Amino acid sequence: AWNVVDEPIQEAEDRLKHCEDLKKHSVRFVVVRDYRNYIASHIKHNEINGGELPLEERIRPDIFKEYGKLVLEETAPYFPIFFDKWFSCPHYRKRVANKPSFYFTDIGLNSVPRFGGGSSFDLQRFDGKAQEMDVLNRYQQYEDHPVYKQYMEDKEAVELNNNLLEKYR
C-alpha cells in the first residue's frame, strides 16, 4: 500500500509505475475523508509544527476534488473508500474487504499509525483505542478559524463533500 494523499493521481501513478507490486495488481484503493476534517487536520498539523509548510502548500482542494470524484463515481481501476464510513461502520469495512477478495479483519483498527507522528489532533495518545478519537467531528473546532472559513468558500469542494456524505451515510 502506498499513501499518495496530497499528490495528484497522475503524479502518483507516474511515480509508482515502476513498482513491481503495483504492476501485479489492477486495483488501486482511493481513500477520501470528509473535506471539513481534511482542512481542520491540516490546520492543526500546521499549528503543531509551527507552520513549517505554508497552508496553501499543505491544503490542496484540487487534489481533494480529484480523489473525491473518483470515490463518488467509483471509477475503475480505483476502488473507492470513504474514510468516515470505514471508520464508523463495521459492515462497510467488511464490504470493502470482500470486494477485492481480501480477508476481513479489524486488527489494527484501534492502532494509530506512527507515520507523521500519529494523529494531527491526538498524536499517539489513543494508540490502542483509536476508535475513541472523535475523528469525524474535528472540523467543529475550526469552524470559526479564518483559514477554515476560506477553504469552505470553495463551493465545488463543499458540494462534492456533501455528495460524499450523502452517498456514504
Side-chain angles (χ1 to χ4, degrees):
W2 294 87
N3 182 357
V4 293
V5 67
D6 300 333
E7 184 173 20
I9 291 168
Q10 190 57 55
E11 284 181 29
E13 290 283 348
D14 290 346
R15 186 170 58 80
L16 299 174
K17 69 181 171 187
H18 302 293
C19 174
E20 291 303 316
D21 285 339
L22 214 62
K23 290 177 187 176
K24 294 179 208 171
H25 305 288
S26 60
V27 175
R28 309 284 196 275
F29 290 92
V30 176
V31 180
V32 71
R33 67 192 293 200
D34 182 336
Y35 181 69
R36 300 166 302 177
N37 287 315
Y38 164 78
I39 300 301
S41 182
H42 277 301
I43 294 169
K44 180 69 170 183
H45 187 82
N46 204 52
E47 290 172 354
I48 290 171
N49 292 300
E52 67 186 24
L53 188 63
L55 279 171
E56 55 275 0
E57 290 180 34
R58 292 189 63 85
I59 301 174
R60 298 282 309 272
D62 58 322
I63 294 174
F64 169 83
K65 291 181 236 181
E66 187 177 8
Y67 284 86
K69 287 174 186 173
L70 287 177
V71 170
L72 193 59
E73 297 165 4
E74 300 183 9
T75 307
Y78 301 100
F79 183 80
I81 301 172
F82 188 56
F83 173 81
D84 297 53
K85 184 75 169 183
W86 178 89
F87 183 83
S88 63
C89 181
H91 300 293
Y92 181 68
R93 289 193 297 275
K94 287 177 185 173
R95 277 200 326 253
V96 166
N98 288 333
K99 204 129 190 178
S101 302
F102 285 132
Y103 174 77
F104 171 75
T105 178
D106 268 344
I107 292 174
L109 181 64
N110 277 300
S111 299
V112 175
R114 291 185 187 352
F115 176 79
S119 162
S120 55
F121 279 77
D122 301 307
L123 306 174
Q124 288 284 293
R125 287 190 298 267
F126 282 88
D127 192 25
K129 52 186 179 178
Q131 286 284 292
E132 294 177 24
M133 293 188 296
D134 191 21
V135 299
L136 304 181
N137 296 304
R138 290 178 168 168
Y139 70 92
Q140 294 171 351
Q141 298 175 42
Y142 284 93
E143 287 180 312
D144 293 327
H145 193 286
V147 174
Y148 179 88
K149 287 180 177 182
Q150 171 192 337
Y151 283 100
M152 289 302 109
E153 291 175 5
D154 185 328
K155 291 184 186 337
E156 183 183 0
V158 170
E159 182 178 344
L160 176 61
N161 191 62
N162 289 338
N163 291 337
L164 286 163
L165 290 167
E166 179 65 27
K167 179 177 182 173
Y168 290 98
R169 193 164 34 125

